[in-house]
Amino acid sequence: MVSDIGRRVGLVIDNARRFGRQRAVAEAMQRNLLAPLPQPGRLRLAARYQPAPAGSQVGGDWYDAFERKDGTLALVIGDVVGHDLTAAAGMAQLHGILRSLAWDHSGPPGAVVDRLDDAMPAITTVPMATLVLALLEGDPHTGPWTLRWTSAGHPPPLLLTRDGQAQYLEAGQGLLLGVPTGTGGSRPSAAQSLPPGSTLLLYTDGLIEIPGSDLDTGLARLRHHALALAHEPLDTLCDQLPARMPPGSTDDVALLALRLPSS
Protein backbone atom coordinates (compact mmCIF):
# COMPACT_ATOMS: atom_id res chain seq x y z
CA MET A 1 0.00 0.00 0.00
CA VAL A 2 2.77 2.42 0.93
CA SER A 3 4.57 1.62 -2.33
CA ASP A 4 1.38 2.19 -4.36
CA ILE A 5 0.70 5.52 -2.62
CA GLY A 6 4.28 6.60 -3.27
CA ARG A 7 3.97 5.72 -6.96
CA ARG A 8 0.73 7.68 -7.32
CA VAL A 9 2.15 10.73 -5.54
CA GLY A 10 5.19 10.55 -7.80
CA LEU A 11 2.96 10.59 -10.89
CA VAL A 12 1.06 13.62 -9.58
CA ILE A 13 4.29 15.50 -8.91
CA ASP A 14 5.69 14.58 -12.33
CA ASN A 15 2.49 15.73 -14.07
CA ALA A 16 2.55 18.99 -12.14
CA ARG A 17 6.14 19.61 -13.19
CA ARG A 18 5.30 18.86 -16.82
CA PHE A 19 2.31 21.22 -16.67
CA GLY A 20 4.45 23.93 -15.11
CA ARG A 21 7.12 23.61 -17.81
CA GLN A 22 4.53 23.74 -20.60
CA ARG A 23 2.86 26.77 -19.05
CA ALA A 24 6.19 28.56 -18.68
CA VAL A 25 7.12 27.86 -22.32
CA ALA A 26 3.73 29.04 -23.58
CA GLU A 27 3.83 32.23 -21.52
CA ALA A 28 7.40 33.01 -22.60
CA MET A 29 6.45 32.43 -26.25
CA GLN A 30 3.53 34.82 -26.01
CA ARG A 31 5.45 37.57 -24.27
CA ASN A 32 8.34 37.38 -26.75
CA LEU A 33 5.95 37.66 -29.72
CA LEU A 34 4.18 40.75 -28.41
CA ALA A 35 6.18 43.32 -30.35
CA PRO A 36 7.02 46.81 -28.99
CA LEU A 37 4.29 49.32 -29.77
CA PRO A 38 4.85 52.17 -32.21
CA GLN A 39 4.19 55.76 -31.11
CA PRO A 40 3.42 57.56 -34.39
CA GLY A 41 3.11 61.34 -34.17
CA ARG A 42 1.08 62.43 -31.17
CA LEU A 43 -0.84 59.17 -30.95
CA ARG A 44 -0.26 57.17 -27.79
CA LEU A 45 -0.47 53.40 -27.42
CA ALA A 46 -0.25 51.13 -24.40
CA ALA A 47 -0.90 47.42 -23.93
CA ARG A 48 -0.85 44.72 -21.28
CA TYR A 49 -0.75 40.94 -21.33
CA GLN A 50 -1.87 39.13 -18.17
CA PRO A 51 -1.42 35.35 -18.14
CA ALA A 52 -4.11 33.08 -16.76
CA PRO A 53 -4.03 32.28 -13.02
CA ALA A 54 -1.50 29.69 -11.91
CA GLY A 55 -4.06 26.90 -11.86
CA SER A 56 -5.04 27.42 -15.50
CA GLN A 57 -3.31 26.86 -18.80
CA VAL A 58 -2.04 29.81 -20.82
CA GLY A 59 -4.22 30.53 -23.84
CA GLY A 60 -3.71 32.15 -27.22
CA ASP A 61 -4.50 35.84 -26.56
CA TRP A 62 -2.42 38.46 -28.34
CA TYR A 63 -2.31 42.11 -29.41
CA ASP A 64 -0.38 43.92 -32.11
CA ALA A 65 0.03 47.42 -33.52
CA PHE A 66 2.12 48.51 -36.50
CA GLU A 67 2.25 51.09 -39.27
CA ARG A 68 1.26 49.84 -42.70
CA LYS A 69 2.96 50.64 -45.98
CA ASP A 70 0.54 53.54 -46.63
CA GLY A 71 1.16 55.05 -43.19
CA THR A 72 -2.10 54.00 -41.55
CA LEU A 73 -1.90 52.46 -38.09
CA ALA A 74 -3.10 48.87 -37.75
CA LEU A 75 -4.43 47.64 -34.40
CA VAL A 76 -5.08 43.96 -33.70
CA ILE A 77 -6.50 42.02 -30.77
CA GLY A 78 -7.04 38.28 -31.06
CA ASP A 79 -7.70 35.02 -29.28
CA VAL A 80 -6.92 31.53 -30.61
CA VAL A 81 -9.26 28.78 -29.42
CA GLY A 82 -7.57 26.58 -26.81
CA HIS A 83 -5.58 26.87 -23.61
CA ASP A 84 -2.25 25.15 -24.08
CA LEU A 85 1.07 25.32 -25.87
CA THR A 86 -0.68 24.52 -29.16
CA ALA A 87 -2.87 27.62 -28.79
CA ALA A 88 0.19 29.75 -28.08
CA ALA A 89 1.93 28.36 -31.19
CA GLY A 90 -1.20 29.04 -33.26
CA MET A 91 -1.26 32.59 -31.99
CA ALA A 92 2.31 33.02 -33.24
CA GLN A 93 1.32 31.76 -36.69
CA LEU A 94 -1.69 34.07 -37.03
CA HIS A 95 0.30 37.01 -35.68
CA GLY A 96 2.91 36.76 -38.42
CA ILE A 97 0.51 36.00 -41.27
CA LEU A 98 -1.85 38.86 -40.42
CA ARG A 99 1.04 41.33 -40.24
CA SER A 100 2.19 40.26 -43.70
CA LEU A 101 -1.28 40.43 -45.22
CA ALA A 102 -2.18 43.79 -43.66
CA TRP A 103 1.10 45.58 -44.35
CA ASP A 104 0.55 46.35 -48.03
CA HIS A 105 -3.15 45.59 -48.56
CA SER A 106 -5.02 48.78 -49.43
CA GLY A 107 -8.52 47.32 -49.15
CA PRO A 108 -10.91 47.44 -46.18
CA PRO A 109 -10.05 45.46 -43.04
CA GLY A 110 -12.75 42.90 -43.82
CA ALA A 111 -10.94 41.98 -47.03
CA VAL A 112 -7.67 41.48 -45.14
CA VAL A 113 -9.31 39.16 -42.64
CA ASP A 114 -11.00 37.28 -45.50
CA ARG A 115 -7.54 36.53 -46.89
CA LEU A 116 -6.36 35.40 -43.45
CA ASP A 117 -9.38 33.11 -43.11
CA ASP A 118 -8.66 31.58 -46.53
CA ALA A 119 -5.01 30.98 -45.66
CA MET A 120 -5.53 29.70 -42.12
CA PRO A 121 -6.39 26.03 -42.81
CA ALA A 122 -3.59 25.69 -45.37
CA ILE A 123 -0.65 27.19 -43.51
CA THR A 124 -1.52 27.12 -39.79
CA THR A 125 -2.63 24.59 -37.20
CA VAL A 126 -5.32 26.93 -35.82
CA PRO A 127 -8.86 25.46 -35.87
CA MET A 128 -10.71 28.64 -34.87
CA ALA A 129 -9.91 32.13 -33.61
CA THR A 130 -11.46 35.51 -32.97
CA LEU A 131 -9.93 38.90 -33.66
CA VAL A 132 -10.51 42.57 -34.38
CA LEU A 133 -8.47 44.31 -37.07
CA ALA A 134 -8.78 48.10 -36.93
CA LEU A 135 -7.12 50.67 -39.20
CA LEU A 136 -6.70 54.28 -38.06
CA GLU A 137 -6.66 56.78 -40.92
CA GLY A 138 -5.60 60.39 -40.51
CA ASP A 139 -2.55 62.50 -39.80
CA PRO A 140 -0.91 61.15 -36.62
CA HIS A 141 -0.24 64.70 -35.43
CA THR A 142 -3.39 66.63 -36.28
CA GLY A 143 -6.12 64.27 -37.54
CA PRO A 144 -8.96 64.14 -38.32
CA TRP A 145 -9.11 60.43 -37.60
CA THR A 146 -11.33 57.69 -38.96
CA LEU A 147 -11.36 54.16 -37.62
CA ARG A 148 -12.18 51.31 -39.99
CA TRP A 149 -12.51 47.86 -38.48
CA THR A 150 -13.85 44.35 -38.77
CA SER A 151 -14.52 41.79 -36.07
CA ALA A 152 -14.28 38.02 -36.47
CA GLY A 153 -16.52 37.01 -33.58
CA HIS A 154 -14.56 39.09 -31.05
CA PRO A 155 -15.89 41.31 -28.23
CA PRO A 156 -16.52 44.85 -29.55
CA PRO A 157 -14.00 47.68 -29.12
CA LEU A 158 -14.89 50.31 -26.51
CA LEU A 159 -14.64 54.01 -27.39
CA LEU A 160 -14.30 56.55 -24.56
CA THR A 161 -14.68 60.26 -25.32
CA ARG A 162 -13.51 63.31 -23.39
CA ASP A 163 -17.09 64.31 -22.52
CA GLY A 164 -17.67 61.14 -20.50
CA GLN A 165 -19.37 58.97 -23.10
CA ALA A 166 -18.62 55.29 -23.67
CA GLN A 167 -19.73 53.40 -26.78
CA TYR A 168 -19.19 49.81 -27.83
CA LEU A 169 -18.43 49.64 -31.55
CA GLU A 170 -20.71 46.74 -32.39
CA ALA A 171 -20.82 47.14 -36.18
CA GLY A 172 -18.55 45.17 -38.51
CA GLN A 173 -19.27 41.84 -36.83
CA GLY A 174 -18.57 38.66 -38.78
CA LEU A 175 -18.04 34.97 -38.09
CA LEU A 176 -15.10 33.51 -36.22
CA LEU A 177 -12.05 32.59 -38.24
CA GLY A 178 -12.23 28.95 -39.26
CA VAL A 179 -16.04 28.77 -39.42
CA PRO A 180 -17.27 27.88 -42.93
CA THR A 181 -19.63 30.55 -44.27
CA GLY A 182 -21.05 28.62 -47.23
CA THR A 183 -22.02 31.91 -48.90
CA GLY A 184 -18.80 33.15 -50.45
CA GLY A 185 -19.61 36.68 -49.26
CA SER A 186 -17.02 39.10 -47.93
CA ARG A 187 -16.63 40.06 -44.30
CA PRO A 188 -18.22 43.33 -43.19
CA SER A 189 -16.18 46.42 -42.39
CA ALA A 190 -17.35 49.41 -40.39
CA ALA A 191 -16.14 53.01 -40.10
CA GLN A 192 -16.49 55.78 -37.55
CA SER A 193 -14.84 59.14 -36.98
CA LEU A 194 -12.98 59.46 -33.67
CA PRO A 195 -13.09 62.76 -31.78
CA PRO A 196 -9.90 64.38 -30.42
CA GLY A 197 -8.89 63.18 -26.99
CA SER A 198 -10.81 59.91 -27.25
CA THR A 199 -9.52 56.54 -26.07
CA LEU A 200 -10.07 53.24 -27.87
CA LEU A 201 -9.85 49.95 -25.96
CA LEU A 202 -9.36 46.55 -27.59
CA TYR A 203 -9.42 43.56 -25.24
CA THR A 204 -9.91 39.80 -25.06
CA ASP A 205 -12.78 37.99 -23.38
CA GLY A 206 -10.73 37.12 -20.29
CA LEU A 207 -11.31 40.71 -19.17
CA ILE A 208 -15.11 40.44 -19.20
CA GLU A 209 -15.97 36.75 -18.72
CA ILE A 210 -16.20 35.70 -15.09
CA PRO A 211 -17.64 32.28 -14.09
CA GLY A 212 -21.18 32.77 -12.77
CA SER A 213 -21.65 36.09 -14.58
CA ASP A 214 -23.15 36.69 -18.02
CA LEU A 215 -21.50 38.55 -20.88
CA ASP A 216 -23.77 41.62 -20.68
CA THR A 217 -22.82 42.07 -17.03
CA GLY A 218 -19.15 41.81 -17.91
CA LEU A 219 -19.46 44.41 -20.68
CA ALA A 220 -21.37 46.79 -18.39
CA ARG A 221 -18.73 46.35 -15.70
CA LEU A 222 -15.92 47.07 -18.15
CA ARG A 223 -17.70 50.19 -19.42
CA HIS A 224 -18.18 51.47 -15.85
CA HIS A 225 -14.56 51.00 -14.79
CA ALA A 226 -13.15 52.29 -18.10
CA LEU A 227 -15.17 55.52 -17.79
CA ALA A 228 -13.84 56.02 -14.26
CA LEU A 229 -10.28 55.77 -15.62
CA ALA A 230 -10.82 57.60 -18.92
CA HIS A 231 -8.92 60.74 -17.86
CA GLU A 232 -5.99 58.87 -16.33
CA PRO A 233 -2.69 58.49 -18.19
CA LEU A 234 -2.89 55.62 -20.66
CA ASP A 235 -0.43 53.41 -18.75
CA THR A 236 -2.40 53.95 -15.54
CA LEU A 237 -5.62 52.97 -17.30
CA CYS A 238 -4.05 49.76 -18.61
CA ASP A 239 -2.64 48.88 -15.19
CA GLN A 240 -5.77 49.58 -13.17
CA LEU A 241 -8.51 48.38 -15.48
CA PRO A 242 -7.72 44.63 -15.15
CA ALA A 243 -7.15 45.11 -11.41
CA ARG A 244 -10.64 46.60 -10.96
CA MET A 245 -12.41 43.72 -12.67
CA PRO A 246 -13.62 41.03 -10.24
CA PRO A 247 -11.40 37.98 -9.65
CA GLY A 248 -12.36 34.53 -10.82
CA SER A 249 -11.41 34.53 -14.50
CA THR A 250 -9.53 31.42 -15.62
CA ASP A 251 -8.43 32.95 -18.93
CA ASP A 252 -5.51 35.12 -19.93
CA VAL A 253 -6.10 38.76 -20.86
CA ALA A 254 -4.73 40.99 -23.61
CA LEU A 255 -5.50 44.71 -23.63
CA LEU A 256 -4.56 47.32 -26.24
CA ALA A 257 -5.35 51.03 -25.79
CA LEU A 258 -5.05 53.96 -28.18
CA ARG A 259 -5.40 57.64 -27.19
CA LEU A 260 -5.74 60.51 -29.62
CA PRO A 261 -4.36 63.97 -28.93
CA SER A 262 -6.92 66.36 -27.47
CA SER A 263 -6.24 69.22 -29.89
Side-chain angles (χ1 to χ4, degrees):
M1 182 182 296
V2 171
S3 176
D4 184 59
I5 292 173
R7 181 180 60 82
R8 292 174 184 270
V9 170
L11 287 173
V12 171
I13 294 173
D14 184 59
N15 287 338
R17 286 174 176 169
R18 290 173 184 271
F19 174 82
R21 285 196 296 268
Q22 184 184 71
R23 175 185 167 85
V25 170
E27 183 178 337
M29 177 187 294
Q30 284 181 303
R31 290 194 181 280
N32 288 333
L33 286 167
L34 298 175
L37 299 175
Q39 300 292 343
R42 297 170 62 207
L43 303 175
R44 292 296 172 261
L45 288 161
R48 296 292 184 273
Y49 172 72
Q50 178 177 295
S56 305
Q57 290 183 312
V58 173
D61 292 20
W62 95 94
Y63 63 79
D64 196 12
F66 55 94
E67 292 183 86
R68 300 199 308 164
K69 185 177 182 179
D70 61 4
T72 59
L73 178 67
L75 306 171
V76 183
I77 196 83
D79 186 0
V80 171
V81 171
H83 295 86
D84 52 22
L85 187 56
T86 300
M91 176 274 293
Q93 293 172 328
L94 286 188
H95 177 274
I97 296 169
L98 183 56
R99 267 203 170 212
S100 300
L101 292 175
W103 186 76
D104 67 347
H105 194 282
S106 59
V112 177
V113 177
D114 271 336
R115 296 175 69 196
L116 177 64
D117 204 8
D118 289 341
M120 196 171 78
I123 54 179
T124 80
T125 58
V126 176
M128 284 191 294
T130 71
L131 65 80
V132 170
L133 170 63
L135 306 176
L136 183 69
E137 300 174 353
D139 188 286
H141 294 276
T142 61
W145 300 280
T146 298
L147 187 75
R148 303 187 188 278
W149 76 94
T150 189
S151 174
H154 199 83
L158 178 59
L159 178 64
L160 310 171
T161 60
R162 285 188 302 172
D163 59 359
Q165 301 297 312
Q167 173 190 1
Y168 281 109
L169 305 182
E170 296 179 331
Q173 282 283 348
L175 293 174
L176 281 72
L177 293 169
V179 175
T181 62
T183 63
S186 59
R187 287 182 176 272
S189 296
Q192 180 164 323
S193 60
L194 302 185
S198 59
T199 302
L200 181 72
L201 296 178
L202 306 177
Y203 54 92
T204 54
D205 57 7
L207 191 63
I208 55 174
E209 291 186 352
I210 307 296
S213 178
D214 59 72
L215 184 59
D216 288 340
T217 300
L219 290 170
R221 188 182 292 119
L222 174 61
R223 182 179 182 274
H224 170 75
H225 289 306
L227 273 175
L229 296 166
H231 296 290
E232 296 290 339
L234 205 56
D235 281 322
T236 302
L237 184 152
C238 288
D239 285 335
Q240 293 193 11
L241 188 56
R244 292 194 180 193
M245 301 300 283
S249 174
T250 58
D251 203 355
D252 48 354
V253 173
L255 174 64
L256 176 62
L258 164 73
R259 180 163 292 165
L260 305 179
S262 58
S263 61

